[in-house]
Amino acid sequence: MRLQTYLYFDGTCREAFTFYAQATGGRIGAMMSYGDAPAEVGGGAAMADKILHAALHLDGATLMGSDMAGAPPPRGFAVTLTPETAAEAERVFAALAENGTVTMPIGPTFWTERFGMLTDRFGVPWMVNMDGPPPPA
């Protein structure tokens, strides 16, 4: 059994997942529009070019999402990345923070060498929490 996160967007899923693939180095495994689906799935002409299902694969995990008319803003969670090196943590944090809002700048903490929090330009909250011990005192 795997635990996965599914995000809803109000029309920006394609742009978000393309951005996430570039920012994280992940691979888009699925990107299906409502227009690609059988007519009974619904959505109509207004949703034809919007995303019915997207999947981004990264190191054995999958982030999924779709467009949903009137999707509420995400809240009460954060998508968390666990890079193995400080350089990777800095890189992915900077990429995701582009045109977003940094909540906690990335830096050393008492539990790890690099941790930071942000909300990306699509309104999705992220944490970058490096896997490893804190920096030496």
Side-chain angles (χ1 to χ4, degrees), residues 6-9 11-14 17 30-44 47-55 64-69:
Y6 201 99
L7 303 173
Y8 291 104
F9 297 87
T12 59
C13 185
R14 182 185 312 274
F17 270 67
M31 186 77 76
M32 176 187 289
S33 71
Y34 283 89
D36 294 332
E40 63 268 13
V41 170
M47 293 292 285
D49 66 336
K50 303 303 180 197
I51 299 302
L52 173 65
H53 178 71
M64 297 181 291
S66 66
D67 286 314
M68 180 176 78

